[in-house]
């Protein structure tokens, strides 16, 4: 069976969504299926460009090409999930968040203030409700994504977790005195909360890994707070470096705003390291067990600083918390075998 994976690609932007598609392709191939990723470049703005992307995925030419070349289809992201196919299953990473949960937040202020933005919101929500409801089988990336789909569109789905990209390679070493924070440098990831928290604490160091549009703003914040000696922005790091920073850190900070899924949480758990997240961080706050496998705190520098200070004052307890996180991951039953079985059984 030839199974295509339909998604979109923002040029020169690589993150969890891209890794998700690649790992799904590899898993399908490992279990004996032919698999290809079908993708078209996508831009989040302006509204007219988003509308044109919708038209492309719904065009007759694309529909006919995919139907003729693929036996089955797994769709992942907006607007790729609008494509038709006789055998298709939805595994939803997220919808176009700018017109859903991020509407009228600081992350999409300009869109919600324009008439074009409001028209786009109405258009997408109507199309999503109509088209997604036609899927016979609907899965999502997480509980958070399933709840959004039901809250905004009245459509049910089943969440289906998958392993992080380097599963089987994570390891643990004795904790060194630093907090690790790996993520894209974007507003939604909220590295600024951690930096401002560190400014309230003496002698605690942070290592931030990742690239993104917020690097210059974060560099300025670090400089303004006089933290150049304690907060390091590494940019892109290798897989070996990523594994080593996880293995050697004292704790992992991961507190994005309303995260869809987030590999960082699972990667920290597999590295036996506690996770610090926030109440409004979406799926990380659903996975982490407060004061058992990590901490779920208010999204303020003061609250985060209080947790970090506790970690430094009770360092002897962190190993047990990290082990509890590893145990919790095992109990979640996350595997690619489960994912492939659930998705392909939907084609029967």
């Amino acid at each position: 069976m030839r199974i295509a994976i339909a998604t979109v690609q923002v040029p020169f932007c690589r993150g969890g969504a891209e890794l998700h598609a690649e790992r799904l392709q590899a898993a399908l191939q490992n279990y004996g299926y032919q698999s290809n990723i079908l993708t078209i470049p996508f831009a989040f703005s302006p509204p007219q460009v988003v509308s044109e992307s919708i038209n492309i995925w719904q065009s007759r030419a694309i529909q006919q090409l995919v139907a003729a070349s693929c036996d089955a289809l797994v769709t992942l992201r907006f607007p790729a999930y609008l494509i038709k196919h006789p055998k298709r299953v939805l595994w939803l990473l997220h919808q176009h968040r700018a017109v859903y949960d991020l509407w009228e937040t600081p992350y999409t202020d300009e869109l919600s203030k324009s008439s074009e933005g409001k028209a786009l919101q109405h258009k997408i929500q109507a199309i999503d409700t109509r088209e997604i409801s036609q899927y016979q089988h609907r899965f999502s990336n997480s509980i958070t994504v399933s709840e959004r789909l039901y809250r905004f569109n009245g459509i049910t789905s089943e969440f289906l977790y998958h392993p992080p990209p380097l599963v089987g390679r994570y390891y643990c070493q004795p904790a060194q005195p630093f907090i690790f924070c790996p993520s894209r440098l974007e507003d939604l990831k909220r590295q600024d909360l951690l930096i401002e928290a560190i400014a309230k604490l003496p002698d605690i160091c942070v290592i931030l890994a990742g690239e993104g549009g917020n690097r210059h703003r974060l560099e300025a914040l670090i400089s303004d707070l006089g933290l150049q000696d304690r907060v390091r922005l590494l940019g892109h790091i290798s897989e070996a470096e990523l594994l080593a920073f996880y293995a050697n850190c004292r704790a992992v900070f991961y507190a994005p705003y309303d995260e869809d899924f987030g590999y960082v949480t699972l990667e920290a758990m597999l590295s036996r390291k506690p996770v610090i997240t926030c109440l409004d961080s979406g799926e990380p706050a659903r996975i982490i067990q407060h004061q058992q496998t990590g901490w779920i705190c208010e999204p303020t520098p003061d609250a985060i600083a209080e947790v970090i200070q506790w970690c430094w004052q009770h360092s002897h307890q962190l190993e047990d918390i990290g082990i509890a996180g590893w145990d919790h991951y095992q109990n979640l039953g996350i595997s690619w075998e489960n994912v492939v079985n659930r998705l392909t059984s939907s084609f029967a």
Side-chain angles (χ1 to χ4, degrees):
M1 179 180 283
R2 295 174 298 179
I3 302 176
I5 301 163
T7 186
V8 294
Q9 170 67 49
V10 178
F12 299 101
C13 180
R14 179 174 172 79
E18 288 70 37
L19 291 171
H20 182 126
E22 292 168 7
R23 297 308 300 150
L24 173 58
Q25 180 187 24
L28 288 168
Q29 292 171 342
N30 287 340
Y31 285 92
Y33 298 97
Q34 296 183 58
S35 182
N36 255 314
I37 297 174
L38 306 180
T39 186
I40 296 175
F42 178 76
F44 291 99
S45 63
Q48 179 58 35
V49 172
V50 177
S51 290
E52 290 172 359
S53 294
I54 293 172
N55 295 336
I56 289 172
W57 283 100
Q58 291 190 308
S59 69
R60 180 174 297 181
I62 292 293
Q63 313 269 5
Q64 291 176 341
L65 175 63
V66 173
S69 59
C70 310
D71 300 315
L73 191 64
V74 179
T75 64
L76 301 180
R77 300 173 71 185
F78 170 86
Y81 55 62
L82 301 178
I83 192 169
K84 304 280 190 181
H85 193 280
K87 288 187 176 182
R88 63 175 183 170
V89 60
L90 175 69
W91 191 18
L92 182 63
L93 273 66
H94 57 74
Q95 296 168 268
H96 190 47
R97 295 185 62 191
V99 301
Y100 285 103
D101 58 298
L102 298 182
W103 185 259
E104 293 184 333
T105 68
Y107 307 107
T108 55
D109 268 349
E110 294 306 315
L111 186 68
S112 59
K113 291 177 181 177
S114 69
S115 58
E116 293 85 357
K118 293 175 182 177
L120 181 67
Q121 182 195 44
H122 293 149
K123 176 180 179 177
I124 290 176
Q125 291 192 2
I127 290 174
D128 278 0
T129 300
R130 182 183 70 245
E131 297 297 329
I132 294 177
S133 64
Q134 294 178 15
Y135 276 82
Q136 289 188 333
H137 301 281
R138 295 182 295 269
F139 297 94
S140 74
N141 204 25
S142 67
I143 298 172
T144 298
V145 173
S146 281
E147 288 198 348
R148 284 192 209 134
L149 182 61
Y150 186 76
R151 172 160 43 109
F152 290 106
N153 307 96
I155 299 172
T156 59
S157 59
E158 179 182 346
F159 79 93
L160 182 60
Y161 284 160
H162 66 288
L166 304 179
V167 65
R169 295 175 58 189
Y170 301 96
Y171 62 97
C172 181
Q173 295 282 8
Q176 303 301 314
F178 69 91
I179 299 288
F180 186 43
C181 178
S183 192
R184 290 197 320 277
L185 306 182
E186 306 293 348
D187 286 345
L188 280 170
K189 303 303 181 181
R190 301 195 301 193
Q191 290 92 346
D192 53 330
L193 286 176
L194 175 61
I195 295 168
E196 291 172 8
I198 292 301
K200 300 175 179 294
L201 301 168
D203 305 324
I204 294 176
C205 297
V206 167
I207 293 177
L208 298 107
E211 299 175 316
N214 252 10
R215 183 178 183 107
H216 294 311
R217 189 174 74 82
L218 294 176
E219 286 175 338
L221 178 61
I222 292 167
S223 178
D224 291 343
L225 295 174
L227 297 174
Q228 297 94 324
D229 294 335
R230 295 200 287 128
V231 179
R232 296 180 59 193
L233 275 171
L234 297 185
H236 174 75
I237 60 174
S238 67
E239 289 181 352
E241 289 170 322
L242 178 71
L243 294 167
F245 282 125
Y246 272 124
N248 288 279
C249 69
R250 187 162 292 189
V252 173
F253 178 83
Y254 187 57
Y257 177 75
D258 200 25
E259 178 64 43
D260 309 308
F261 179 49
Y263 287 133
V264 175
T265 311
L266 303 182
E267 291 177 319
M269 294 164 72
L270 286 170
S271 304
R272 294 175 171 81
K273 300 297 178 175
V275 178
I276 303 168
T277 191
C278 290
L279 289 167
D280 61 352
S281 288
E283 205 64 17
R286 298 180 187 278
I287 295 173
I288 294 303
Q289 300 166 306
H290 184 55
Q291 297 182 338
Q292 297 179 53
T293 64
W295 296 269
I296 306 169
C297 60
E298 294 285 345
T300 66
D302 285 338
I304 294 165
E306 183 178 345
V307 170
I308 293 173
Q309 187 172 44
W310 189 96
C311 291
W312 257 248
Q313 293 172 344
H314 302 83
S315 57
H316 59 285
Q317 297 182 34
L318 297 183
E319 182 177 349
D320 289 340
I321 295 173
I323 292 173
W326 188 89
D327 289 339
H328 183 46
Y329 179 96
Q330 308 310 314
N331 291 334
L332 291 172
I334 302 172
S335 72
W336 278 113
E337 181 180 11
N338 180 54
V339 168
V340 171
N341 286 340
R342 298 304 303 280
L343 294 179
T344 56
S345 64
S346 301
F347 301 137

